[in-house]
Amino acid sequence: MTKPPPGAPLPAAIADWFAGRGWRVRDHQAAMFAADRAGDHALLVASTGAGKTLAGFLPTLADAAEGPIEGLHTLYISPLKALAVDIQRNLKAPIDEIGLPLTVETRTGDTPSDRKARQRVRPPNILLTTPESLSLMLSHEDSFTLFAGLKRVVIDEVHAFATQKRGDLLALSLARLQRIAPEMRRAALSATVADADGYRAWIAPYGDIDSVALVLGEKGADPDIDILLPLGRVPWGGHSGRYAAPQVMELIADNRTTLVFCNTRSLAELIFQDLWKANDQGLPIGIHHGSLAVEARRKVEAAMARGELRALVATASLDLGVDWGDIDCVVQMGAPKGSSRLLQRIGRANHRLDEPSKAILVPGNRFEYLEAQAALDAVEADERDPDIFRPGGLDVLAQNIMAMACAAPFSEADLLEEVQAALPYSALTPAAFGRIVDFIRDGGYALKSYDRFKRLTQEGTDDDGSRRWRVSHPRFVTQHRMNAGIIVDAATLDVRFKNGRKLGTVEEYFAASLSPGDTFFFSGLSLEVERIKDTDLIVRATSRPARIPTYVGARMPLSTNLAARVREFLFDRSQWRRFPDDVQEWLSVQSDRSVLPEPGQLLVETFPREGRHYMVAYSFEGWNAHQSLGMLITKRMEKRGLKPLGFVSNDYALACYGLEPVTDPAALFSKDILRDEFTDWVQQSALLKRAFREVSVIGGLVERQHPGRRKTGKQVTFSTDLIYDVLRKYEPDHVLLEAAWADARARLTDVGRLGDLLDRAADTMLHVHLDRVSPLAVPVLVLIGRETVATGTADDALIAEAEALVAEAMGD
């Protein structure tokens, strides 16, 4: 463990509290206290249940024990609203039991406006908030007074947002806080960090890694993780693990409290219904995800805290840091897609360092069984998924500049220096910064004739020639505060009963598919649509069968670490004895009929079937990269007269099919596809428009909210698409088009992994032509046609097709 210089001992009141509970001050807690007393920033990397949160707040508690604290002393930054509420509840015990005169409050998007206004005038000593709410607070002119006495910022679960746009926003806000309160110390906490020095640089002002102490926590008990074996055979297709609902219900009955994690909101609703059908004992079960109304989420969180639920079905809305000590089992439905995510979710069980966390993985198909075993091995080897730091988003920077302008007029040179203190923007040049300021000034060359884009006005210049700016009109301040934020969800409608009670939200595109009398599952209920009124979807409860809402969004990609381990499993026969008999049989028949690729090979199989010709590439680069590659390859097939009919993909393979055979797959996978087809495809597809829509909202070019009304998704889309077309024609180098292109490449198409695949394709491709479908191809081919089948329904023709595929691949 890297320890900072020793500091003063803990105040007697706090030391006595530890002793009274029969606890010892752990080494990493003492080290975090010493770092603060030495005036250092700190990064704590420690297992779940190691007392990270208490370590982060220990200096604050000590300050309160040594003397009265006035005003805002400590900010706690959380990636989740639920986590902020949970921390408030858990801080109450030490504060009350030690008798410290500390006030603690939360401030998130769920906080009432009157409380937010009061907090700016009479703040608590400890404020628990999110990056978005902090940025909004900094946009007020009184922020300089509010944060002047700030001593400490605690950033929890720093891995959850540091490498993303929310992290860009937080890094910029930390730079402003450091300017207001130069002596402020930063402390970041995480259980799943792979690149500790990368995070130390992110935490430190100006990337000064030496100013950040690295504190490593004591090792806890090894987790107890099992893979659930189905009562029948491991499924060929699917990714949800729904087949195991009766077995999961047995686990729930056998344990005190079980947390059931799902990778998507749709799957959470589906699994809840499946479990309820298997819940013969009528055990109390809840559901929690980000689309539910805040009242519903708070209700279920409180019920869990009181120990009233036997199980809770949840998404990523609860996989970070929430501490409910009575949870004794975690179930992961489907593969976790990464070892870091799995560790984070496992840690919700027991939440005690010295006791093993119990978890059960429920793989959805045969490839996912290999992935589940790979995840277990990675956890045992203490292997984390890689942390990828990248330059900050230009749209986020635009939002931050406008927020700072709302607080006070600014000098361009001074604000640039402040922004460069944040690691994601440390390499930002004056010219690039000036482009962003010019965009905020008038929208850019193509839009400057419209007054609604003229948000900044130049006041003059400083002695050094730097431009000075102020907000052009107070309405732009209001506009910013109503629309600021980094999370750009799809447009939604509120789901309400006739009495006005809100259940949550569904996305507008899903609501558009509904008519009066249609039914869907939501918030654990079967609901019938009565009517759509403005932005409300009016419903009533029913017992009729229903479908599940679907949500837009990229899937969680299979991590590169787990992909490498799965590839090793395929090739290393000595590992096969660890798998169920039917999985071993699957691999063995594949080896006999075709080949199993070596870890570095790209296996491509081609074969005919029922008048079509198939090409399946086993590249293991994740669903997002495979979807992009599928679009590109089918376009190239079309140019070459191969008459493609379509493609399907999963995390492990891509299958393209058409009317003519592919005899030279290497030509389809050549690297120039990223120079030619990729650029044309992204620019002509909806991807770039979708990315532009998001950066326009984040960058403040298009508003989602107006005083007294909210734009519909169609209105936002119409506005952004119109501006997009104008800029593409008249100002193709516009800063937001540049930001959209970066997003489309990196996030929507996963071009990094796509490029890695194409880089190795020429040298590692092994082409095997077969006379029929191979066993390895079945899991991806069973997906053909399923995109058109409503979630939660069964299609007899598809089931029959899957059975025929299996018989053909595995039969003699």
Side-chain angles (χ1 to χ4, degrees):
M1 175 169 62
T2 304
K3 291 187 178 181
L10 284 171
I14 296 179
D16 291 346
W17 177 75
F18 272 93
R21 285 208 160 201
W23 294 350
R24 68 176 175 87
V25 180
R26 296 191 182 273
D27 290 347
H28 55 269
Q29 293 172 329
M32 290 293 285
F33 179 71
D36 182 81
R37 286 298 186 262
D40 293 332
H41 310 293
L43 168 65
L44 172 58
V45 182
S47 302
T48 298
K52 290 193 299 296
T53 303
L54 184 56
F57 281 106
L58 207 51
T60 303
L61 302 182
D63 285 353
E66 292 170 347
I69 287 177
E70 295 183 2
L72 182 59
H73 179 283
T74 297
L75 270 178
Y76 166 89
I77 312 296
S78 159
L80 297 176
K81 299 173 185 178
L83 184 52
V85 173
D86 183 65
I87 294 298
Q88 182 184 26
R89 181 172 58 244
N90 292 331
L91 266 180
K92 192 175 187 313
I95 289 173
D96 291 348
E97 292 169 12
I98 299 171
L100 300 175
L102 283 172
T103 54
V104 184
E105 295 181 8
T106 61
R107 182 191 179 101
T108 70
D110 295 338
T111 304
S113 56
D114 58 340
R115 189 186 307 167
K116 290 180 181 178
R118 192 265 301 155
Q119 286 172 341
R120 297 204 335 266
V121 179
R122 297 190 306 280
N125 305 128
I126 302 174
L127 184 62
L128 316 174
T129 189
T130 60
E132 291 81 5
S133 290
L134 173 58
S135 179
L136 281 173
M137 294 173 71
L138 287 168
S139 75
H140 288 271
E141 56 275 3
D142 56 13
S143 60
F144 299 94
T145 303
L146 175 64
F147 295 109
L150 188 66
K151 300 294 189 294
R152 189 170 182 79
V153 174
V154 179
I155 307 163
D156 206 355
E157 309 292 357
V158 65
H159 64 275
F161 44 36
T163 60
Q164 303 170 15
K165 285 192 177 185
R166 298 183 77 200
D168 296 345
L169 185 69
L170 178 55
L172 292 167
S173 295
L174 290 173
R176 169 51 61 98
L177 288 174
Q178 204 76 54
R179 176 183 167 191
I180 296 173
E183 300 304 313
M184 177 194 82
R185 272 98 61 205
R186 311 177 185 189
L189 318 174
S190 177
T192 54
V193 161
D195 180 8
D197 285 348
Y199 281 95
R200 289 171 69 197
W202 185 88
I203 294 162
Y206 296 102
D208 179 14
I209 192 172
D210 293 332
S211 68
V212 181
L214 173 62
V215 180
L216 303 180
E218 303 170 34
K219 181 173 173 55
D222 292 331
D224 176 13
I225 315 174
D226 287 319
I227 302 176
L228 184 143
L229 282 176
L231 297 176
R233 297 168 68 84
V234 178
W236 286 92
H239 58 84
S240 65
R242 291 183 62 200
Y243 64 87
Q247 292 171 272
V248 173
M249 201 62 234
E250 290 179 8
L251 289 170
I252 292 170
D254 291 341
N255 289 282
R256 185 171 56 235
T257 311
T258 301
L259 197 52
V260 181
F261 276 114
C262 302
N263 289 341
T264 66
R265 290 168 283 179
S266 296
L267 182 57
E269 291 281 356
L270 201 58
I271 293 299
F272 178 85
Q273 296 297 328
D274 290 340
L275 291 176
W276 194 250
K277 291 174 185 175
N279 187 8
D280 297 333
Q281 300 180 48
L283 301 177
I285 302 175
I287 184 171
H288 190 289
H289 59 73
S291 290
L292 298 180
V294 60
E295 296 82 8
R297 284 185 274 121
R298 294 291 176 266
K299 183 178 179 180
V300 77
E301 290 162 16
M304 281 292 286
R306 294 191 299 267
E308 296 174 356
L309 295 179
R310 293 294 297 276
L312 181 61
V313 180
T315 61
S317 61
L318 286 183
D319 69 1
L320 294 171
V322 178
D323 181 7
W324 289 317
D326 288 337
I327 295 174
D328 47 7
C329 182
V330 166
V331 176
Q332 167 66 44
M333 303 300 295
K337 301 303 170 189
S339 57
S340 296
R341 182 178 297 109
L342 176 60
L343 268 174
Q344 195 70 47
R345 291 181 171 183
I346 291 171
R348 308 283 65 79
N350 285 333
H351 216 83
R352 289 179 284 274
L353 185 65
D354 302 323
E355 297 181 22
S357 299
K358 179 181 176 183
I360 306 292
L361 305 187
V362 184
N365 58 56
R366 298 185 179 205
F367 267 123
E368 282 202 352
Y369 190 95
L370 302 182
E371 182 185 335
Q373 187 62 61
L376 265 63
D377 291 355
V379 168
E380 184 176 343
D382 203 28
E383 179 182 276
R384 304 292 187 270
D385 300 320
D387 301 310
I388 301 173
F389 292 87
R390 84 278 180 274
L394 299 180
D395 49 341
V396 180
L397 178 58
Q399 184 176 128
N400 173 259
I401 293 172
M402 188 63 193
M404 299 307 98
C406 291
F410 68 89
S411 159
E412 196 167 318
D414 289 348
L415 187 55
L416 172 60
E417 182 181 2
E418 176 183 309
V419 165
Q420 289 171 330
L423 180 68
Y425 300 96
S426 57
L428 190 70
T429 65
F433 186 76
R435 284 184 68 208
I436 304 294
V437 173
D438 290 344
F439 153 66
I440 304 171
R441 176 191 62 196
D442 55 24
Y445 168 77
L447 303 174
K448 64 193 312 179
S449 59
Y450 299 94
D451 288 343
R452 67 189 184 96
F453 298 119
K454 297 178 180 178
R455 292 179 285 166
L456 291 181
T457 297
Q458 186 173 346
E459 283 189 326
T461 57
D462 292 336
D463 293 339
D464 61 0
S466 175
R467 298 181 295 182
R468 295 193 60 82
W469 300 95
R470 62 171 175 82
V471 176
S472 301
H473 191 278
R475 72 174 181 273
F476 292 116
V477 175
T478 302
Q479 175 182 307
H480 171 82
R481 291 176 184 155
M482 292 187 69
N483 290 278
I486 299 302
I487 302 173
V488 183
D489 289 325
T492 59
L493 269 67
D494 293 335
V495 181
R496 296 183 185 275
F497 288 129
K498 276 194 299 187
N499 63 7
R501 177 189 163 200
K502 180 179 174 181
L503 296 175
T505 60
V506 294
E507 293 183 359
E508 190 176 64
Y509 91 96
F510 172 75
S513 70
L514 299 173
S515 300
D518 288 346
T519 57
F520 64 98
F521 284 123
F522 188 75
S523 192
L525 301 171
S526 179
L527 303 173
E528 180 180 328
V529 177
E530 292 196 339
R531 67 184 188 280
I532 297 177
K533 180 182 178 183
D534 300 325
T535 58
D536 289 340
L537 183 62
I538 310 300
V539 299
R540 64 183 177 191
T542 181
S543 58
R544 292 169 51 202
R547 58 178 171 147
I548 301 294
T550 52
Y551 299 90
V552 172
R555 298 186 187 181
M556 295 178 179
L558 172 69
S559 73
T560 54
N561 287 352
L562 293 194
R565 286 181 175 272
V566 171
R567 294 170 71 95
E568 289 282 352
F569 285 158
L570 293 179
F571 185 69
D572 185 357
R573 286 176 177 266
S574 67
Q575 299 284 341
W576 293 5
R577 55 184 171 78
R578 306 170 67 191
F579 309 142
D581 290 344
D582 49 347
V583 175
Q584 293 186 48
E585 178 193 23
W586 170 53
L587 299 179
S588 179
V589 176
Q590 170 68 22
S591 180
D592 293 341
R593 295 274 167 77
S594 178
V595 297
L596 285 163
E598 296 179 11
Q601 278 184 329
L602 172 62
L603 172 63
V604 177
E605 294 177 330
T606 55
F607 48 84
R609 186 172 190 271
E610 296 184 349
R612 295 178 179 181
H613 294 273
Y614 292 82
M615 177 185 70
V616 183
Y618 303 93
S619 41
F620 297 89
E621 293 297 348
W623 185 85
N624 294 333
H626 291 164
Q627 284 289 108
S628 300
L629 185 59
M631 293 294 295
L632 298 177
I633 285 184
T634 51
K635 283 181 175 293
R636 183 163 279 190
M637 289 172 67
E638 184 73 38
K639 289 181 180 178
R640 298 183 177 218
L642 297 177
K643 302 175 183 177
L645 298 174
F647 72 91
V648 288
S649 66
N650 55 23
D651 275 324
Y652 320 98
L654 164 69
C656 300
Y657 50 97
L659 298 178
E660 298 293 336
V662 174
T663 58
D664 181 19
L668 297 177
F669 285 80
S670 60
K671 288 191 292 185
D672 59 1
I673 201 170
L674 283 184
R675 184 188 66 233
D676 301 331
E677 283 90 344
F678 179 81
T679 301
D680 292 341
W681 168 56
V682 172
Q683 290 183 343
Q684 299 303 322
S685 73
L687 281 174
L688 199 55
K689 279 193 174 183
R690 175 181 162 194
F692 182 79
R693 196 172 305 142
E694 293 192 10
V695 301
S696 294
V697 170
I698 293 173
L701 190 67
V702 173
E703 314 89 51
R704 290 171 288 188
Q705 305 274 355
H706 289 288
R709 67 183 180 90
R710 180 180 72 185
K711 276 188 177 181
T712 66
K714 289 182 180 179
Q715 289 172 325
V716 172
T717 299
F718 178 79
S719 298
T720 55
D721 286 357
L722 184 63
I723 295 172
Y724 172 83
D725 291 336
V726 169
L727 295 182
R728 282 286 306 276
K729 184 175 182 179
Y730 297 106
E731 195 176 357
D733 60 346
H734 192 278
V735 67
L736 287 192
L737 285 178
E738 179 182 330
W741 179 245
D743 269 17
R745 285 176 57 88
R747 185 168 57 87
L748 299 180
T749 63
D750 214 343
V751 72
R753 293 182 71 170
L754 191 54
D756 292 341
L757 165 61
L758 295 172
D759 280 342
R760 69 173 189 271
D763 296 328
T764 68
M765 181 180 291
L766 173 62
H767 177 206
V768 178
H769 181 69
L770 305 170
D771 59 0
R772 58 174 164 166
V773 61
S774 73
L776 212 60
V778 172
V780 68
L781 292 190
V782 297
L783 299 175
I784 295 176
R786 292 200 172 188
E787 297 85 350
T788 61
V789 180
T791 305
T793 67
D795 187 291
D796 293 339
L798 290 180
I799 293 174
E801 172 67 11
E803 291 175 347
L805 271 171
V806 172
E808 184 178 337
M810 300 294 289
D812 292 331

